[in-house]
Amino acid sequence: MAMGLGVEAEEICKAYQGGRYEVRMNLYPPCPEPERVIGISPHADNSGITLLLECGNMPGLQFLKDGKWVTVMPTDDVIVVNIGQMSEIMSNGIHKAPDHRAVVNRLKDRMSIVTFCYPDSSINVGPAKELISLGNPPLYKTLTHSE
Ligand SMILES: O=C(O)CCC(=O)C(=O)O
Ligand SMILES: [Fe+2]
């Protein structure tokens, strides 16, 4: 990601050296009235990146794209990599932390295993200095992950 942005990788890596990984397992039981229920409400992750495994070939994960919910079809041996808000800040908005949600279905259980990669909670994270110039002001505050 640093290479793609043309910024110093060391700065970004430093923030993750004392970082934290959090694993969450979500289980969505089948629901007789799925259209009246939401599995996880729309949100953006506050991680740096999120690694998401959809288990059991049951779709449910949706991302908001151009105002429409788009389903991510589970694919064998594939991990979905999602951008979190801390990366949106570091990239000064070039990488977006997209809104997503999970819906339920009436047929069977769905499970996802999600790993959130967080920067060091006490390190200051702000837009990378290489991305800031007179014409490109910082669009985000510099803050720590706990803030
Ligand atoms: O279960 C899913 O596919 C989405 C889970 C999710 O977005 C989350 O745990 O933050
Ligand atoms: Fe999420």
Side-chain angles (χ1 to χ4, degrees):
M1 285 167 78
M3 253 194 266
L5 291 167
V7 308
E8 198 60 60
E10 205 177 310
E11 271 301 297
I12 296 183
C13 293
K14 213 163 59 191
Y16 288 90
Q17 265 155 24
R20 194 161 52 89
Y21 293 89
E22 208 173 273
V23 178
R24 179 192 296 165
M25 296 185 194
N26 300 302
L27 176 69
Y28 309 92
C31 172
E33 295 184 87
E35 55 291 328
R36 300 183 63 193
V37 169
I38 189 81
I40 288 192
S41 313
H43 65 280
D45 294 340
N46 69 355
S47 54
I49 60 168
T50 303
L51 308 175
L52 189 145
L53 189 66
E54 295 194 271
C55 311
N57 211 28
M58 214 48 221
L61 176 63
Q62 298 183 327
F63 280 86
L64 193 60
K65 187 168 189 285
D66 304 325
K68 290 205 176 93
W69 290 106
V70 178
T71 300
V72 179
M73 293 309 286
T75 307
D76 284 346
D77 305 325
V78 162
I79 291 176
V80 177
V81 180
N82 187 23
I83 305 282
Q85 289 167 327
M86 298 313 279
S87 292
E88 181 167 332
I89 294 174
M90 280 183 176
S91 71
N92 202 32
I94 294 173
H95 294 153
K96 300 274 188 248
D99 281 339
H100 56 286
R101 67 179 187 180
V103 296
V104 296
N105 74 86
R106 53 165 58 81
L107 299 173
K108 60 171 185 155
D109 280 347
R110 174 174 178 267
M111 202 172 101
S112 65
I113 303 176
V114 191
T115 303
F116 300 96
C117 309
Y118 295 112
D120 189 320
S121 60
S122 59
I123 253 180
N124 274 323
V125 173
K129 58 180 183 315
E130 298 93 324
L131 301 174
I132 303 305
S133 61
L134 263 182
N136 292 299
L139 301 175
Y140 302 83
K141 277 203 304 199
T142 294
L143 40 75
T144 65
H145 185 252
S146 3
E147 285 170 326

